[in-house]
Every structure is written in structure tokens, then in C-alpha cells.
Amino acid sequence: MPAARQTKSAATSALRHDDNVSSPPLALVTGATGMVGPALVYRLLDAGSHLRVLSRREPSPGILPENVEVHTGDIGSPLVAAAATRDTDAVFHLAGLLHQRSVTEYDPYLEVNV
């Protein structure tokens, strides 16, 4: 089996909905509107998860399914992070700052990416 296929299966297997459990697992995806995020969101929904996403700003219409709970805010804020992760069963952290332009932007880059 190709490595990418194995990774997708591993990422979602722990979150598959068990009909013997009263409610599906709740997963948080940060970076859900980025390059990889939407694919993971749809994969997790297919596996039966309830989803919450954390985005810096309101996602563009159509990028995410309507049945996804959207939180907006700065992932570097402890209050935002606490609210977004509350009652979640898993967190998929895909958020990141890309294309560092200068040394003065290094601290925010580390804060989000590390």
C-alpha cells in the first residue's frame, strides 16, 4: 500500500465512529483552509467524526462543508486555543506560517509552527 494511503488510514482509524458509542468523536483541525486541510476535513467526516476547525478568519464560502463547526481567531492566543480544543477527542494541527520574509518575523513563525 502506498505511504500516503497508509497515512490517511492511520490518521482516521482512531476516530472512526463506533455505533456502540453515543456520539461520534469530535476532532479539531487547525489549518483547515490551507493546502492540506480541506482534504483531511472531508476524510474525517467520511470516517464519521464531528468536526471543528480553527481558522484565522472566516473561511471562504464553499471551502468547507456546512456541517463543520468553525472557530475563528489566532492560534497563538491561549483563550482561542482553549475554546477551540474544549471537549475534543483529537487535534490535527496543520496550521502554519509560511514564507518567512525577515528575521523580525521569526518569533511569530516559531510560535505557530513549533
Side-chain angles (χ1 to χ4, degrees):
M1 183 177 277
R5 182 70 127 159
Q6 289 174 349
T7 302
K8 284 199 290 190
S9 296
T12 58
S13 64
L15 288 174
R16 290 201 183 282
H17 178 57
D18 181 350
D19 290 331
N20 297 321
V21 177
S22 61
S23 64
L26 174 61
L28 170 68
V29 178
T30 68
T33 60
M35 201 60 154
V36 177
L40 179 60
V41 165
Y42 281 96
R43 179 77 175 177
L44 291 169
L45 286 173
D46 287 346
S49 295
H50 281 203
L51 282 187
R52 178 182 297 158
V53 301
L54 176 58
S55 180
R56 282 181 285 181
R57 51 193 158 278
E58 196 66 34
S60 300
I63 195 167
L64 297 171
E66 291 182 16
N67 58 338
V68 171
E69 179 186 339
V70 176
H71 283 232
T72 56
D74 180 358
I75 195 167
S77 163
L79 292 175
V80 170
T85 57
R86 186 171 296 118
D87 299 324
T88 57
D89 297 297
V91 175
F92 295 85
H93 179 48
L94 305 179
L97 290 177
L98 302 175
H99 314 295
Q100 176 188 343
R101 293 183 199 105
S102 71
V103 174
T104 60
E105 295 178 12
Y106 195 62
D107 287 340
Y109 181 83
L110 283 176
E111 186 177 309
V112 172
N113 295 336
V114 176

